[in-house]
Amino acid sequence: MPDEMIAVPHSAGTRKPAIAAPEGACDAHIHVYDRRFPMYGSPDAMLDNATADDYRLLQQRNGTQRTVVVQPRVHGTDNSVTLAAIQALGAHSTRGVAVVRPEVSDAELKQLHEGGIRGIRFTLHTSTNAATDFSMVEPLARRVHALGWHVQLHWSADQIAAHAALLDRLPCTVVFDHLARLPQPDRLSHPAYRVVSRLLDNGRTWIKLSGAYLDSAAGAEGGYADTIDVARAWATQAPERVVWGSDWPHPTERAAKPDDAQLFDLLGRWVPDEAARRRVLVDNPARLYDFS
């Protein structure tokens, strides 16, 4: 496995992952935040001199051969950026998750499908990130269900608990993002945990365990490294419906980016069983994202 540094600012460390990824492993998701695929109006919000080659190096470093790219904010409604990333990384081994406007046309959805998009994302935990509101989740979910897509929900724990009835009505596959990061200190007793645990029994609900990027507001101890309890709980309850994602790069990492290998090492603490990790890395994303 190559040991090159990722050629972007703040790439720290050169050690290789302690866990060997099996053949066909998928990293879901790599965030499209760099200058090659610009999405922000301010260049300060993007990584300098990052290219598709940098993402390939990250794949090699983690041992992953497949990638799901995502633009997680309202800016992702310009999905030509996501499609360009899929094409640059290789359409045979790359899929995407889009952010769509409520008025998205059937023709645009078809174009996105042909370009490798397999899901849409609702980031509603802050108003500045939201391309839609909660009233649009169900109508859009029903439209993309016809394409065989899933909906990915980046919601706060309180939002999940408050909208349990809406979640019950959604007809399509639902992927909860960042759910290793439920509120402290009561993660396993939070109402959101009980809602998602119940939904996991329906066979259409998935969990994406997100990698340990460091939230700058929380400091060095505020990432995902202390979320082993809830991550293991999800992986134990529904090992056939858990996927892994490094969530690299992330805007909060510009000042304090963790070792790239450290992101992947965390998966071993969450899913210590090798056979289960293979399922999380290979079999599950192949089904969810329609890899051959």
Side-chain angles (χ1 to χ4, degrees), residues 26-31 59 66-70 86 89 93-97 150 152 285 289 291:
C26 178
D27 186 343
H29 304 112
I30 288 180
H31 282 190
Q59 287 179 306
R66 295 166 168 166
T67 300
V68 178
V69 296
V70 61
I86 294 171
L89 290 167
S93 62
T94 313
R95 296 288 184 266
V97 175
H150 67 270
Q152 183 184 116
Y289 297 109
F291 285 111

Side-chain angles (χ1 to χ4, degrees), residues 149-199:
W149 293 8
H150 67 270
V151 296
Q152 183 184 116
L153 305 179
H154 188 182
W155 293 4
S156 71
D158 289 343
Q159 288 173 333
I160 291 170
H163 293 277
L166 168 62
L167 293 169
D168 283 330
R169 294 196 303 269
L170 297 183
C172 56
T173 297
V174 173
V175 180
F176 286 100
D177 196 7
H178 295 298
L179 274 196
R181 194 174 56 173
L182 289 176
Q184 299 188 65
D186 58 345
R187 290 187 182 94
L188 296 178
S189 61
H190 192 283
Y193 182 88
R194 295 193 293 273
V195 169
V196 176
S197 293
R198 175 177 56 79
L199 289 171

Side-chain angles (χ1 to χ4, degrees), residues 5-8 49-59 248:
M5 290 280 291
I6 304 299
V8 294
N49 303 317
T51 71
D53 287 339
D54 295 314
Y55 292 105
R56 293 191 187 97
L57 284 176
L58 184 71
Q59 287 179 306
W248 184 96

Side-chain angles (χ1 to χ4, degrees), residues 15 66 75 93 111 138 217 219 224 259 265 272 284:
R15 68 184 177 89
R66 295 166 168 166
H75 307 276
S93 62
Q111 179 187 33
E138 186 174 3
Y224 293 153
D259 186 302
D265 287 344
N284 294 351

Side-chain angles (χ1 to χ4, degrees), residues 255-270:
K257 183 179 179 300
D259 186 302
D260 298 308
Q262 181 185 14
L263 297 172
F264 198 65
D265 287 344
L266 186 62
L267 180 60
R269 300 170 65 190
W270 285 346

